[in-house]
Amino acid sequence: MKPLKLFETTPGNFSLLLDAGTTQVDETVQELGHEPNGYFWEGVAQFLVSTEAKTLDGRFSYDPEAGMFCAYGTDRDALQELGDLMSAIAADADRMRALVAAATAAGFEFDD
């Protein structure tokens, strides 16, 4: 699930984290006109949930910052599934290009 990390913050509460600027696709994201910050990655997560993993909707919350993406909640399995989806995008420039193109075509706007 690299570069994302999933850990238990307190008993029964989990956080999925990504340090912005540490992925293999940062340069691609910039070429596509976006800033690879935590807010952009929240958009990636939201778009993935809405298009590829609708069963995850509402099972966790987001709390990104400029330097970090964060999703959190009590449903470890949901966060694990999101992390797996996001790590595949974070490691594959072609998949990132396809995701941004699909998001743009759908009228989705990244908040970066």
Side-chain angles (χ1 to χ4, degrees):
M1 189 168 57
K2 288 185 177 183
L4 290 103
K5 301 171 198 147
L6 177 62
F7 61 96
E8 192 169 22
T9 54
T10 59
N13 293 293
F14 302 90
S15 289
L16 177 67
L17 301 178
L18 170 67
D19 289 326
T22 64
T23 73
Q24 296 175 8
V25 297
D26 290 341
E27 191 172 302
T28 301
V29 171
Q30 290 174 327
E31 289 170 6
L32 294 169
H34 296 282
E35 184 65 34
N37 60 30
Y39 303 108
F40 172 80
W41 283 102
E42 178 186 11
V44 169
Q46 290 174 342
F47 191 73
L48 285 169
V49 168
S50 71
T51 59
E52 296 183 27
K54 292 180 182 180
T55 60
L56 296 180
D57 190 33
R59 293 173 60 187
F60 46 79
S61 298
Y62 300 104
D63 187 21
E65 298 176 2
M68 177 186 67
F69 164 80
C70 177
Y72 66 94
T74 59
D75 190 336
R76 186 189 190 290
D77 292 339
L79 290 166
Q80 177 72 48
E81 187 175 341
L82 176 63
D84 291 342
L85 288 169
M86 291 181 69
S87 67
I89 300 293
D92 187 331
D94 290 336
R95 287 195 66 187
M96 177 57 76
R97 284 186 194 94
L99 181 138
V100 171
T104 300
F108 183 88
E109 292 189 30
F110 293 95
D111 182 23
D112 58 328

